[in-house]
Amino acid sequence: MNHIKEYRKEKKMSQYELAQAIGVARQTINLIENDKYNPSLSLCLKLAHVLETDLNTLFWEEYNED
């Protein structure tokens, strides 16, 4: 499970906006958020950069919304 959706919503970004920011289709974001697509390391790094977090937090650590 990843935390892309939570971080995207915190940034008030749509799937389309996030997709545009990293250069993929909106459907790709949907698939990643729903754990139906394993993104490449390069794509993971782009996601973390745009969402202003790190890979561990985005993909592995427990997410705690304060």
Side-chain angles (χ1 to χ4, degrees):
M1 178 171 174
N2 64 63
H3 307 290
I4 294 168
K5 185 175 185 176
E6 292 93 343
Y7 277 89
R8 177 177 60 76
K9 288 187 176 229
E10 278 183 8
K11 297 274 181 204
K12 297 183 177 21
M13 295 179 84
S14 68
Q15 287 183 341
Y16 178 78
E17 290 168 326
L18 179 56
Q20 289 293 300
I22 63 170
V24 298
R26 185 207 54 84
Q27 291 86 344
T28 302
I29 300 300
N30 183 273
L31 291 170
I32 295 169
E33 286 184 353
N34 290 297
D35 290 321
K36 296 185 183 212
Y37 177 77
N38 275 335
S40 67
L41 178 57
S42 174
L43 188 51
C44 290
L45 290 169
K46 288 177 184 178
L47 285 165
H49 177 74
V50 169
L51 296 173
E52 298 179 346
T53 189
D54 59 78
L55 292 179
N56 284 332
T57 304
L58 196 57
F59 289 96
W60 295 288
E61 291 182 3
E62 190 70 26
Y63 179 82
N64 293 315
E65 187 173 335
D66 294 328

